[in-house]
């Protein structure tokens, strides 16, 4: 799924001649702390709520403000994983999307990215969750998949995260089965450390 597939059509843009007060009103209305500044389809800057609040006169035009910081944007044909990285690293509320000709197309929001991520991670599918704790050198997706298949379990998604303190790898498996006892026993037989399991029955309890 590419950035252009997730563009929000409801987030407004700001014009250089708009006063700071209008920007604040729109940010409050749309529950955002940033809005793109656009002139003739050209993305100029990402206006920050804090910068406007620092103005002595909220009626001053946005074109009179200084924009010396980064100008985050993403190409329309970039994968949404790249958008997630930018949102996280730059602490964004919105991320402008630009064309190959550098023209402004729209913005991505956290809601649109979260919706896409849910589809990719099998969140909507029924099934149990199993987390493995292992040394990164011991990680083999092919072996994990083979163990699952030997227990007639389908892996709907596989996610990994490294603990920065210990260097250990947590492998999160979303499966198509609620009953995981046989799968757990097989993993343990192959010396895998089971961190935790979650099934829908446990969530209901």
């Amino acid at each position: 799924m590419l950035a252009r597939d997730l563009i929000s059509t409801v987030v407004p843009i700001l014009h250089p001649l708009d006063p700071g007060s209008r920007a604040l009103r729109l940010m409050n209305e749309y529950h955002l702390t940033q809005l793109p500044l656009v002139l003739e389809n050209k993305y100029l800057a990402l206006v920050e709520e804090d910068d406007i609040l620092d103005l002595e006169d909220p009626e001053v035009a946005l074109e009179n403000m200084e924009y010396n910081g980064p100008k985050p944007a993403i190409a329309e044909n970039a994968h949404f994983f790249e958008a997630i990285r930018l949102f996280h690293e730059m602490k964004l509320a919105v991320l402008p999307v630009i064309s190959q000709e550098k023209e402004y197309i729209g913005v991505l929001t956290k809601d649109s990215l979260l919706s896409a991520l849910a589809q990719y991670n099998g969140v909507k599918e029924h099934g149990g969750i199993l987390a493995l704790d292992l040394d990164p050198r011991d990680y083999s997706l092919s072996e994990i998949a083979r163990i699952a298949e030997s227990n007639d379990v389908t892996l709907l998604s596989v996610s990994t995260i490294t603990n920065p303190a210990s260097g250990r790898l947590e492998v999160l498996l979303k499966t198509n089965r609620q009953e995981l006892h046989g799968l757990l026993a097989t993993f343990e037989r192959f010396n895998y450390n089971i961190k935790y399991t979650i099934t829908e029955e446990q969530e209901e309890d």
Side-chain angles (χ1 to χ4, degrees):
M1 195 173 295
L2 304 181
R4 61 171 172 260
D5 301 319
L6 300 172
I7 291 175
S8 172
T9 58
V10 299
V11 176
I13 62 174
L14 298 173
H15 188 275
L17 294 179
D18 287 337
S21 58
R22 181 176 186 271
L24 287 176
R25 178 174 58 79
L26 289 174
M27 289 179 185
N28 182 64
E29 181 179 344
Y30 287 86
H31 306 288
L32 296 169
T33 57
Q34 299 165 326
L35 284 176
L37 186 67
V38 179
L39 177 62
E40 297 178 353
N41 291 330
K42 295 297 182 181
Y43 167 53
L44 302 178
L46 195 60
V47 180
E48 298 272 357
E49 180 184 49
D50 288 343
D51 291 338
I52 301 176
L53 292 173
D54 288 340
L55 292 174
E56 293 183 4
D57 181 7
E59 297 305 317
V60 67
L62 297 176
E63 66 179 357
N64 294 322
M65 296 177 59
E66 294 185 4
Y67 301 99
N68 299 322
K71 189 170 70 173
I74 191 168
E76 61 175 324
N77 58 354
H79 195 270
F80 84 96
F81 279 1
E82 174 65 12
I84 293 174
R85 183 186 67 81
L86 290 173
F87 263 90
H88 173 69
E89 292 182 355
M90 305 186 74
K91 297 178 173 58
L92 300 174
V94 295
L95 177 60
V97 181
I98 57 176
S99 68
Q100 293 180 346
E101 293 74 30
K102 307 301 181 183
E103 292 191 338
Y104 175 81
I105 301 176
V107 297
L108 304 182
T109 65
K110 290 180 180 179
D111 286 344
S112 62
L113 290 181
L114 187 60
S115 176
L117 192 60
Q119 294 179 49
Y120 268 78
N121 283 341
V123 172
K124 297 179 180 179
E125 304 294 331
H126 295 286
I129 295 173
L130 168 64
L132 305 174
D133 175 66
L134 63 158
D135 189 291
R137 294 172 296 182
D138 298 329
Y139 175 62
S140 170
L141 181 56
S142 60
E143 182 177 73
I144 291 173
R146 180 180 58 79
I147 292 174
E149 290 172 2
S150 70
N151 284 270
D152 196 26
V153 173
T154 299
L155 300 180
L156 301 177
S157 73
V158 180
S159 304
T160 62
I161 185 171
T162 301
N163 186 318
S166 65
R168 301 281 292 178
L169 187 68
E170 179 179 319
V171 182
L172 189 66
L173 310 175
K174 176 65 182 289
T175 75
N176 69 329
R177 300 283 292 274
Q178 290 293 335
E179 202 288 305
L180 298 176
H181 291 93
L183 180 61
L184 293 176
T186 306
F187 272 123
E188 290 172 346
R189 190 164 65 250
F190 280 85
N191 298 317
Y192 279 89
N193 181 33
I194 310 298
K195 194 169 184 179
Y196 60 83
T197 61
I198 300 175
T199 64
E200 291 180 0
E201 286 81 358
Q202 290 174 322
E203 291 175 348
E204 290 173 359
D205 291 342

